[in-house]
Amino acid sequence: MSSILSGLNPEQLEAVSLPHQSALILAGAGSGKTRVLTTRIAYLIQSGQASPHGVLAVTFTNKAAKEMIARLSAMLPINTRGMWIGTFHGLCNRMLRLHHRDAGLPQLFQILDVQDQLSLVKRVMKAMGVDGEKFPPRQVQWFINGNKEAGLRASKVEAYDDFSRRMTEVYAAYDEQCSREGVVDFAELLLRCFELLQANEILRDHYRERFAHILVDEFQDTNRLQYLWLRLLAGNRCAVMAVGDDDQSIYGFRGAHSANMQSFERDFGVAKVIKLEQNYRSHGNILDAANHLIRNNRTRLGKNLWTAESHGEPLRVFQAPTDLDEAAYVVDEVKALSREGVALSEIAVLYRSNAQSRVLEHALFNAGLPYRVYGGLRFFERQEIKHALAYLRLAANPDDDNALLRVINFPARGIGARSLEQLQESAKAAGGSLWQAACERSAVGGQPVGRALPVDPRPATTGRPASSPLKGIPAFVALIESLRAATQGLPLPEIVEHMVEHSGLKQHYQSEREGADRLENLNELVNAAVGFVHEAEDDSLPAFLAHAALEAGEHQAEEGAQALQLMTVHSAKGLEFHGVFITGLEEGLFPHEQSFNQDGGLEEERRLMYVALTRSKRRLYLTFAQSRMLHGQTRYNVSSRFLEEIPERLMKWVNLTAPFAPVLVPEPKPKSKSAVSFTVPKASHGWQVGQSVTHPKFGSGVIVNCEGHGPDARVQVRFTRAGVKWLALEYARLTPA
């Protein structure tokens, strides 16, 4: 047997040594799929079935492509330079560079990044006189990219009403402008390459003859156009090896189509699916938990992970009274793992939503534990939080030039670079602040707009005074004055909430395709203010801003230093750790409430949980809180259904030695789970906040509020699927869960 094949298990060996045929390799988490892909390429070259330049391999990241090339160089004495190994966009870019004339592109065409593309969209809309408020530029950008990823030019898009018709007109004008300037966006790379192969038979036949073997990694993450491009390039004679795991398809929101795996079986005449089920990462109990969980998904090809390792420890499940207690538990357990000799870099804390990191970061900061937010920014360093803090800084001190420069044109209000230069020149000449110069330049009726300007203290509804016809700098000055006036004398959390609601930030991020995370972070800033009021002696706005600056400026571990890893579950895909904490396991949070009303949404959330579970090698913690701050208010939660889908025998419920919150009293859990839960004392009618209940129509839920007595008593229940409802107890027909 060739040395490159030694050490492969039977299924891996079968995949690597397949004859010339298309194959679907269903590769479970930790099953060695990267090794199989790389060894397959090496085997084809070593056995003479293909030359280094006769293989095309597609990865989803440049990092994965570089790793594959490095492994190949170590396995075979070949020159890997020039091999066709890369991402979809990278390979299409290479093909278009080689055949730019046939593709109708200039030789040195430029690629627009996301921000450059948005700027071009704005320019096109301005030239067309399109209202940016009715047609938010970011929404237009999504529309263009979404249609390109579906393989549709503007001429092929069906317009159902005036709105979609106008969007399509902008799409067409945008394409024309890109052609004039000789630029392409990311989505255009793939679409243009697909159209090139589709239209040019000679070129298509050339590449079909050249690439006898195509290998695709992470096949479950391909979108519609990527799949069509592969079919077109492969033709009937190419052997395509698709490697992926439908149970790890978690990018539906980006257009990934896990059903491509089922389509591949049919379209490429796959005779046999090879399943890589032996896991080399995790202990048995972790894999058993993941297997039981994912079986609840109906639309899957099906596999069962196993390991030659021992069962290992049970999964530790912790039920906390509050999110603060959950964070405190995580800190204590991380310290315990560290004392056992586990490196901090081998421990990860996962969460479903970015906003959850704020409470965790605060607890780690106070405990002096170094941490790093993987694949993202720390809470107080995130763009939307910095913008919100800048507005708050202006409320506290409008002469803060840095804060003013950050938000004077964010959200956009038509203040260009020249206007800012003139403003800075005026401030310098007068020896004053930018704010003072702005007030001087914002004269209305002969009176300067500024501190002497009477304003309506009623909250604005669109981020600026509703009746104000002002534009540019005058509009900004009037907005800041209205915000300052409306928040005078308010408690800190209400100041923060008002700024978030009426600065224009919320409306701006609502128009972003992936703005939901930013909105959750802005809501979490209100929670941060609530928590600060409870903890600090000085709960003023300046004190809160100082607190935010301190937490933003310190304690993020330097690159290369030992640090705890914080990340969303999406960011954790492809990684592994000795110990993993999966936090926030509550209905509405994980699974996320948005998934309840989306086709296939709940199944994707379950796949996301499957990914989270399989990141752990040895120690796995599952945590949730009975109450959590949301929008500055306490929300009472039901534990995630995912906990119910894991067998009891695999879990160890961690008991609390003492209640964290003095207002809560312990009440034993059912015998099947040796946990301690905490609920508030019962009201006179016998029901209590935090109690799990069942309704014959609305299903299961938890009581989040009680009020009234006797026949007037009623309860507010957050139902898992029916939402929040008030029910009169006299007619409620509730039963304890």
Side-chain angles (χ1 to χ4, degrees), residues 505-530:
L505 291 176
K506 190 170 184 178
Q507 291 79 8
H508 172 80
Y509 290 121
Q510 282 173 337
S511 69
E512 285 194 348
R513 184 177 189 177
E514 296 179 19
D517 268 357
R518 297 193 188 276
L519 291 171
E520 287 185 4
N521 285 331
L522 288 173
N523 290 330
E524 185 60 28
L525 185 62
V526 181
N527 297 342
V530 174

Side-chain angles (χ1 to χ4, degrees), residues 62-63 86 100-101 127 156 183 208 213 339 376 655 705-706:
N62 289 317
K63 179 182 177 183
H100 61 90
R101 288 192 183 89
K156 300 294 184 182
V183 296
R208 285 179 174 178
H213 294 272
R339 287 193 298 270
N655 291 330
N705 204 352
C706 301

Side-chain angles (χ1 to χ4, degrees), residues 582-705:
I582 306 175
T583 62
L585 283 169
E586 299 138 31
E587 285 292 298
L589 188 55
F590 197 6
H592 199 281
E593 58 190 357
Q594 292 179 356
S595 69
F596 299 155
N597 300 318
Q598 297 172 351
D599 288 341
L602 188 56
E603 292 212 348
E604 179 150 331
E605 288 290 298
R606 189 174 284 109
R607 292 194 292 267
L608 193 59
M609 180 63 176
Y610 176 84
V611 167
L613 291 170
T614 53
R615 297 312 93 198
S616 175
K617 294 190 285 189
R618 296 294 180 266
R619 191 77 64 82
L620 184 57
Y621 301 82
L622 311 177
T623 70
F624 65 98
Q626 287 188 311
S627 67
R628 188 177 296 274
M629 290 294 292
L630 187 69
H631 309 303
Q633 309 225 339
T634 300
R635 164 175 160 175
Y636 295 91
N637 306 305
V638 178
S639 60
S640 172
R641 70 188 69 195
F642 297 153
L643 288 171
E644 300 297 324
E645 294 173 358
I646 298 174
E648 291 281 346
R649 61 180 174 79
L650 301 175
M651 300 190 292
K652 175 184 177 183
W653 286 71
V654 181
N655 291 330
L656 298 177
T657 56
F660 284 91
V663 297
L664 302 175
V665 295
E667 178 181 284
K669 285 283 291 183
K671 292 181 181 179
S672 60
K673 294 179 181 177
S674 56
V676 174
S677 66
F678 291 85
T679 55
V680 296
K682 292 184 178 180
S684 58
H685 47 62
W687 298 101
Q688 60 196 45
V689 172
Q691 182 174 0
S692 296
V693 294
T694 302
H695 187 275
K697 179 179 178 181
F698 303 128
S700 61
V702 65
I703 296 174
V704 297
N705 204 352

